């Protein structure tokens, strides 16, 4: 082999080795570039995600939770002790004790009834029946403040009393000075035992609705009681019951402690038809009987 041929071959080998070396270097240089690019891309995505999560958390904490004004009154008085002994002696003189109604929550619902039968022998007898019921509402973020709920219930009860089936000579009048609002309704109901003169006072004080029913009848030939006298006594008793609600919650009425309820009270959420004041067992249509 000639010297010139050997030189050309050696040169060609050197050129091929140089090309292979360049390719290796280029590939080697490309790897960290890709890694750096991938790393930057990953860091950028992670940062964006963290920023979005932080902003979402900040937005959620900045949004105020729904609130509603707390109820003014947080409890009810004992229904059978809401009226004074003297008032009971005047309205139901022959009653030995009151009969407390059933309640699944005495802090929101309570009632008590008394009946009196004054038997005068051949001259007949005088019957009196008294019922006191109270319903307390709690504030609720979905339904509204407690006093508004009580006002709606108050208006519904007044309408119910004014629409009693069979009522005769019905009259209604506002009763200022008894709670925040009050209405007195009177009417007559004729039954086989006699004519019952019914007096009902519906009153609202803050978030509590008080309903006082009082009726009387002269039986077995005795004369009927005066509707005016019965109404006067009913108004007095209603005022006393409203005052008992305020006293049960402190000298100045007091505010209910704690945050407003997020859900309505089980008792206060029931329909008006379940209210103790509309219980059939206390209806004046029942045959009168003395307390046991």
């Amino acid at each position: 082999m000639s010297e010139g041929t050997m030189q050309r071959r050696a040169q060609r080998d050197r050129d091929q080795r140089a090309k292979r070396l360049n390719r290796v270097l280029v590939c080697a240089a490309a790897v960290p570039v890709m890694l750096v690019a991938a790393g930057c891309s990953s860091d950028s995505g992670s940062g964006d995600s963290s920023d979005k999560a932080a902003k979402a958390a900040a937005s959620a904490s900045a949004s105020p939770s729904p609130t509603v004004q707390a109820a003014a009154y947080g409890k009810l008085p004992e229904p059978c002790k809401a009226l004074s002994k003297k008032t009971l002696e005047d309205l139901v003189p022959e009653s030995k004790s009151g009969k407390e109604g059933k309640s699944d929550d005495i802090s929101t619902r309570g009632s008590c009834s008394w009946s009196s039968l004054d038997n005068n022998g051949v001259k007949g007898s005088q019957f009196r029946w008294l019922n006191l019921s109270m319903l307390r509402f709690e504030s609720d973020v979905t339904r509204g403040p407690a006093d508004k709920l009580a006002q709606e219930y108050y208006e519904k009860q007044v309408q119910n009393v004014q629409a009693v089936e069979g009522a005769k000579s019905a009259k209604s009048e506002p009763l200022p000075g008894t709670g925040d609002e009050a209405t007195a309704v009177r009417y007559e109901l004729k039954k086989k035992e006699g004519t019952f003169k019914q007096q009902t006072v519906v009153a609202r004080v803050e978030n509590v609705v008080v309903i006082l029913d009082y009726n009387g009848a002269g039986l077995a030939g005795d004369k009927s009681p005066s509707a005016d006298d019965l109404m006067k006594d009913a108004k007095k008793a209603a005022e006393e019951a409203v005052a008992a609600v305020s006293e049960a919650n402190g000298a100045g009425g007091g505010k209910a402690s704690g945050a407003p309820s997020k859900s309505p009270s089980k008792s206060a959420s029931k329909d008006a038809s379940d209210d103790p004041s509309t219980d059939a067992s206390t209806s004046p249509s029942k045959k009168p009987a003395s307390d046991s």
Side-chain angles (χ1 to χ4, degrees), residues 162-221:
Q162 293 172 334
V164 171
E165 185 178 356
K168 305 293 183 182
S169 305
K171 296 181 181 179
S172 300
E173 61 175 310
L175 193 58
T178 302
D180 295 304
E181 53 187 335
T183 300
V185 183
R186 68 170 71 180
Y187 55 85
E188 294 181 0
L189 284 175
K190 293 186 180 294
K191 303 295 178 181
K192 63 181 182 179
E193 298 90 356
T195 300
F196 290 80
K197 296 188 176 181
Q198 174 74 27
Q199 325 296 316
T200 299
V201 176
V202 184
R204 179 185 69 84
V205 53
E206 295 286 1
N207 57 307
V208 176
V209 176
V210 174
I211 303 175
L212 186 134
D213 291 296
Y214 184 49
N215 68 57
L219 307 178

